Amino acid sequence: FLSRGVEFLSPFLPSKGTKRWQRLQIRPLLFFLSQKGLCFGGAAASMAEDLVLDTAIRDWVLVPLSVVMVLIGVLRYFVSKLMRSHQAPDLKVVKEGQVILRARNLRAASGFIPAKSFRSRKTYFTNEENGLLHVPKGQSQNAQAQMFSDPNLAMDMMKKNLSMIIPQTLTFAWVNFFFSGFVAAKIPFPLTQRFRGMLQNGIDLSTVDVSYVSSRSWYFLNLFGLRGLFSLILGEENAMDDTQRMMQMSGFGFDPSRVIA
Amino acid sequence: MVGASEAARMERLESQVENGGGGAWEYLCLVRKLKARRSNKVLKHGLSILNDHRARSKLGAEEWTLYEQVAFAAMDCQQHDVAKDCIAVLSKQFPGSIRIGRVEGMLLESKGAWAEAEKVYARLLDDSPLDQIIHKRKVAMAKAQGDLSAAVKFLNKYLEIFMADHDAWRELAEIYVSLQMYKQAAFCYEELILSQPTVPPYHLAYAEVLYTIGGLENLQTAKKYYASTVALTGGKNTRALYGVCSCSVAIRQLTKGRNKEEKEMSDLQTLAAEALQRDYKQRAPNKLPLLMSMLKNMKLNS
């Protein structure tokens, strides 16, 4: 993995530090191997030796990756603002929202009004013929089906999804292509072996401590963590980062008619 | 939520600005946020900011909000030409905007040209049928013309769509009370209590309406609501205490023959009477004899 990483990074590295960097990578590797040789018998203890990572990694991997992700987020925000179609509020939707608010108030504060008025309001909402909240069996449409049948909503959703998926995919591919095959950072707390497959993706050495992660994990860290930064730059409500959108996407089974029940 | 601290701050700023100190812009922002109606002051200070070139350019995008605020204040003070100037500037900047159209409609209203204002509002409603403020302007117009039944009709239609708007319910309740349609007013107050159960004025108003309608059941319910007002205000509401006493008297008059509930009623009444006496002794001791004679009459009339 060393040669591949060096190959890709050498155009970026300052010429002075190249050999030193190579040497730094190789030395701990030999050290580890010698350790393994010495530890005959019992299970290998956790390698508490510290790898010294070149500052060039910080300059040319970590910082550019973060900067690029911030810029892509800002770009996405502006693009979404441009593409947002103004949806005129529908009378029926507004009315339904208000009815629900009123019914909720009725349920919450029912102890404060006389019993007779509570009953009359209850029948107003739920009686069989023209109750506002009464939904005859079999007629209630699944919210999801409704969402798809309304073309405007479907287009909006598609646009939102696209604006999220495409930059993510592109950035991920870019990271994998350029920044794989070497140790990028060390996580300050110890981790179990289970995370090895996730975090050490390009590193093909199985003895390296799991705290040493590849740049892919740095990408994921940024992905989930830049929300605070976006809320500072773009103002409070635009700080939606991808986790929220992913949760929104997966929350499709949300059925509003069952909210009140 | 509007806090008492903000109201106090506004008062302080008002006195400060009146006496020549700075802070006019902050004062105007607070007035706008708290929706206080200080039109002559807003007009004076707003105009001083707008006419000063440097101060106006310092405002940036907020300049247009200030124009709108000054236009409203000018209309309130019946200075139509000032309002017209402001509207002209605004419509040059935002041609065809619904918000500006609303201000124009209000100018026609303040001049008394009801029919034209009506036409303007109808046109705006065609464009955006869900604009709450235009609906409310129509109601206000009907009320200003003295046509309360039309106001009631408009308000009912508005509430069919926006039934969670508690300000509208409150307005409707007050109109019903002035029209003496007490049953409908009681319904509106019930809506208000449902949406905001911890606000004492609604309990008090509901109790008063019930007391006015009369009838044994309503009087008993009214007494309960007077009592809940007393509970919500920590015993400080004198009117509610009086209400408890009068309800007890009225109930006792209606149930002259039956003895069973008298004991529990007189407990509440004696407590209320004591609270009233304490209150008067503290705050208006020279009116205490009036209170004492009234209480004596109430006890004697049972």
Side-chain angles (χ1 to χ4, degrees):
Chain A
F1 78 101
L2 287 172
S3 51
R4 221 171 14 122
V6 171
E7 213 173 75
F8 275 101
L9 276 186
S10 50
F12 301 106
L13 285 178
S15 51
K16 214 172 60 157
T18 315
K19 294 222 179 71
R20 180 166 61 95
W21 186 74
Q22 275 177 315
R23 260 185 283 135
L24 278 177
Q25 287 285 344
I26 294 177
R27 211 183 285 147
L29 176 61
L30 292 174
F31 185 55
F32 281 172
L33 290 179
S34 64
Q35 276 269 329
K36 265 228 124 169
L38 286 175
C39 285
F40 44 79
S46 69
M47 304 298 167
E49 317 304 334
D50 290 335
L51 283 179
V52 180
L53 296 173
D54 195 9
T55 48
I57 296 183
R58 181 194 69 209
D59 294 340
W60 294 100
V61 174
L62 303 184
V63 168
L65 193 52
S66 300
V67 165
V68 163
M69 291 185 74
V70 168
L71 289 177
I72 287 187
V74 170
L75 189 71
R76 197 183 344 159
Y77 163 67
F78 283 122
V79 167
S80 71
K81 249 198 351 181
L82 281 176
M83 291 209 307
R84 198 180 302 164
S85 59
H86 175 71
Q87 205 181 21
D90 190 20
L91 178 70
K92 201 155 148 278
V93 169
V94 166
K95 189 169 170 189
E96 274 177 18
Q98 299 267 320
V99 167
I100 290 181
L101 266 178
R102 193 174 162 203
R104 195 186 302 156
N105 282 336
L106 176 66
R107 218 167 54 145
S110 52
F112 287 97
I113 53 171
K116 199 165 57 145
S117 24
F118 172 71
R119 275 195 298 271
S120 66
R121 283 184 168 81
K122 196 176 81 140
T123 38
Y124 171 64
F125 280 123
T126 59
N127 83 42
E128 293 276 319
E129 292 158 30
N130 53 0
L132 288 180
L133 291 177
H134 180 71
V135 174
K137 272 200 172 21
Q139 228 185 54
S140 64
Q141 264 180 322
N142 194 3
Q144 192 171 351
Q146 230 174 15
M147 265 201 274
F148 280 135
S149 62
D150 184 6
N152 282 336
L153 267 176
M155 273 308 293
D156 261 349
M157 267 187 344
M158 272 246 308
K159 278 191 225 167
K160 266 199 286 189
N161 286 345
L162 274 181
S163 83
M164 172 181 132
I165 290 179
I166 289 189
Q168 255 190 21
T169 323
L170 286 177
T171 319
F172 192 57
W174 179 69
V175 165
N176 267 345
F177 183 62
F178 277 112
F179 296 123
S180 68
F182 62 91
V183 172
K186 178 176 189 297
I187 297 186
F189 45 84
L191 288 172
T192 60
Q193 297 299 316
R194 281 155 157 258
F195 293 100
R196 189 181 285 271
M198 183 167 75
L199 300 173
Q200 285 196 338
N201 189 272
I203 305 171
D204 297 325
L205 222 58
S206 59
T207 55
V208 176
D209 204 356
V210 192
S211 300
Y212 291 101
V213 299
S214 69
S215 35
R216 193 189 279 193
S217 60
W218 177 248
Y219 166 72
F220 280 119
L221 188 75
N222 275 323
L223 192 66
F224 296 126
L226 278 176
R227 183 155 59 117
L229 194 63
F230 283 144
S231 74
L232 277 179
I233 305 180
L234 302 174
E236 283 304 320
E237 41 188 57
N238 296 311
M240 268 239 287
D241 83 320
D242 302 324
T243 42
Q244 279 186 353
R245 299 233 203 121
M246 284 202 277
M247 284 196 286
Q248 269 184 10
M249 276 215 306
S250 61
F252 250 101
F254 180 67
D255 193 1
S257 71
R258 274 189 256 144
V259 169
I260 304 200
Chain B
M1 264 307 257
V2 173
S5 60
E6 298 211 318
R9 198 160 135 237
M10 193 179 75
E11 302 282 333
R12 244 185 320 120
L13 275 172
E14 189 171 332
S15 53
Q16 178 187 342
V17 172
E18 280 294 304
N19 297 334
W25 172 242
E26 203 185 338
Y27 171 65
L28 290 170
C29 285
L30 260 185
V31 164
R32 200 172 10 177
K33 186 164 150 194
L34 298 175
K35 298 201 179 135
R37 198 168 176 172
R38 315 281 175 105
S39 303
N40 43 355
K41 298 216 166 48
V42 166
L43 187 60
K44 195 163 77 166
H45 301 301
L47 273 182
S48 67
I49 295 186
L50 286 178
N51 287 333
D52 180 7
H53 223 58
R54 263 182 308 125
R56 198 174 64 197
S57 50
K58 228 185 342 177
L59 294 177
E62 305 275 315
E63 179 184 351
W64 313 112
T65 343
L66 184 60
Y67 268 115
E68 196 188 20
Q69 194 179 4
V70 168
F72 286 149
M75 285 189 257
D76 218 7
C77 301
Q78 294 287 308
Q79 307 237 13
H80 299 291
D81 22 355
V82 173
K84 213 172 180 148
D85 290 335
C86 293
I87 297 180
V89 172
L90 280 172
S91 50
K92 211 166 37 162
Q93 178 72 13
F94 304 107
S97 145
I98 292 187
R99 196 164 160 183
I100 310 293
R102 219 163 44 204
V103 182
E104 284 174 8
M106 282 176 72
L107 178 62
L108 288 170
E109 249 187 272
S110 80
K111 283 199 203 152
W114 307 115
E116 282 145 35
E118 180 100 39
K119 270 193 284 206
V120 170
Y121 285 141
R123 188 171 42 95
L124 289 173
L125 271 182
D126 273 339
D127 288 332
S128 66
L130 288 180
D131 193 338
Q132 297 189 344
I133 303 192
I134 299 187
H135 278 108
K136 291 187 186 174
R137 281 318 316 161
K138 280 180 59 176
V139 173
M141 242 180 17
K143 199 169 166 196
Q145 288 174 284
D147 192 358
L148 284 179
S149 45
V152 162
K153 201 163 53 103
F154 283 138
L155 206 42
N156 271 323
K157 249 184 12 173
Y158 170 77
L159 279 170
E160 257 177 37
I161 309 177
F162 298 100
M163 50 175 81
D165 185 355
H166 63 94
D167 279 329
W169 282 113
R170 190 164 163 199
E171 186 66 35
L172 187 59
E174 288 174 10
I175 297 184
Y176 274 140
V177 166
S178 63
L179 284 175
Q180 295 185 337
M181 299 162 72
Y182 293 119
K183 285 221 182 64
Q184 289 88 333
F187 183 82
C188 299
Y189 278 124
E190 279 163 14
E191 283 295 323
L192 284 172
I193 295 180
L194 275 180
S195 57
Q196 291 174 316
T198 52
V199 171
Y202 299 150
H203 288 248
L204 188 60
Y206 186 48
E208 308 243 317
V209 168
L210 283 177
Y211 183 73
T212 316
I213 300 180
L216 181 61
E217 205 182 298
N218 286 330
L219 282 174
Q220 283 167 335
T221 327
K223 199 159 102 160
K224 283 194 210 149
Y225 277 96
Y226 278 125
S228 80
T229 315
V230 172
L232 280 173
T233 58
K236 296 209 183 74
N237 196 323
T238 323
R239 199 174 170 130
L241 291 169
Y242 267 122
V244 169
C245 297
S246 355
C247 274
S248 319
V249 166
I251 291 177
R252 218 178 308 151
Q253 274 187 336
L254 281 180
T255 65
K256 254 199 182 112
R258 310 183 227 158
N259 264 336
K260 51 181 175 137
E261 288 162 36
E262 210 163 298
K263 208 181 205 176
E264 149 197 338
M265 284 187 332
S266 56
D267 263 351
L268 185 57
Q269 187 182 354
T270 38
L271 278 175
E274 279 171 28
L276 272 174
Q277 287 175 24
R278 251 200 326 255
D279 204 17
Y280 266 71
K281 258 188 218 142
Q282 219 179 5
R283 292 203 282 176
N286 45 352
K287 301 218 173 95
L288 196 54
L290 291 170
L291 176 70
M292 300 306 299
S293 60
M294 188 195 80
L295 286 176
K296 222 176 302 195
N297 278 339
M298 282 209 258
K299 287 200 181 94
L300 281 180
N301 268 348
S302 63

